[in-house]
């Protein structure tokens, strides 16, 4: 990741993605990032919401600039992270979606499925995510609405 600034990154996974988490965490540290590994660290079955909530808290509190959430599909842990209103987690499976998550949605967490993508594609997604800036402008008011949704029907 040449030319990318160093970030504080929290990373968490369930049992289905602990191996991918370990490899990504090591790679990020080798490229100069500060990594907070929130577990899990083995194949024993765990509940992905617990790790999603820990990751969300690290990002929401400011202890991490960005988060990487991993589980078998990436879906469950992303849902857990998004329960925290300060987090915008996007499920990605290739670099373009990771780039758009940052540039259009100001995502501060990406989620990936270890059973769905390989380690090299996951690294490409992380690289695209971390090297992309939020565009702001016309996207800002949309992102603001994500933090304060209005659940009104068209009928009022």
């Amino acid at each position: 990741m040449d030319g990318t600034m160093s970030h504080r990154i929290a990373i968490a996974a369930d049992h289905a993605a602990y191996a991918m988490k370990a490899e990504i965490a090591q790679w990020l540290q080798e490229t100069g990032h500060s990594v907070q590994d929130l577990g899990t660290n083995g194949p024993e079955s765990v509940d992905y919401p617990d790790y999603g909530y820990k990751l969300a808290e690290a990002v929401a509190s400011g202890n991490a600039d960005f988060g990487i959430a991993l589980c078998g599909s990436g879906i469950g842990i992303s849902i857990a992270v998004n329960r925290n209103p300060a987090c915008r987690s996007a499920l990605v499976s290739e670099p373009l979606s990771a780039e758009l998550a940052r540039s259009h949605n100001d995502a501060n967490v990406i989620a990936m499925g270890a059973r769905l993508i390989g380690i090299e594609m996951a690294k490409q997604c992380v690289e695209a995510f971390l090297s992309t800036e939020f565009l702001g402008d016309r996207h800002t008011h949309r992102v603001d609405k994500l933090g304060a949704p209005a659940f009104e029907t068209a009928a009022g």
Side-chain angles (χ1 to χ4, degrees):
M1 281 192 277
D2 294 332
T4 310
M5 66 182 285
S6 177
H7 297 289
R8 296 172 303 139
I9 301 166
I11 188 167
D14 73 355
H15 56 280
Y18 81 94
M20 178 178 276
K21 177 191 61 73
E23 192 164 340
I24 291 173
Q26 179 180 347
W27 170 69
L28 287 168
Q29 288 172 331
E30 290 170 356
T31 57
H33 297 282
S34 171
V35 178
Q36 183 180 8
D37 186 336
L38 302 173
T40 196
N41 297 308
E44 298 79 22
S45 183
V46 297
D47 297 330
Y48 61 80
D50 297 337
Y51 294 89
Y53 297 152
K54 286 168 73 170
L55 179 67
E57 179 55 32
V59 173
S61 70
N63 289 330
D65 302 317
F66 297 107
I68 301 171
L70 306 166
C71 69
S73 68
I75 298 168
I77 200 163
S78 182
I79 292 170
V81 170
N82 279 324
R83 297 279 188 216
N84 188 314
C87 294
R88 291 172 304 284
S89 177
L91 177 62
V92 303
S93 58
E94 36 62 45
L96 180 58
S97 59
E99 180 183 329
L100 291 171
R102 280 290 305 133
S103 65
H104 288 198
N105 308 114
D106 198 19
N108 50 13
V109 177
I110 58 169
M112 296 178 286
R115 293 179 177 153
L116 304 178
I117 65 172
I119 188 64
E120 292 309 315
M121 181 59 70
K123 287 178 180 179
Q124 289 177 39
C125 290
V126 170
E127 196 166 40
F129 181 76
L130 294 177
S131 64
T132 301
E133 294 292 324
F134 176 51
L135 293 176
D137 194 36
R138 66 187 171 98
H139 303 286
T140 301
H141 81 278
R142 296 171 185 155
V143 171
D144 290 345
K145 287 182 175 184
L146 294 174
F151 296 105
E152 296 180 12
T153 64

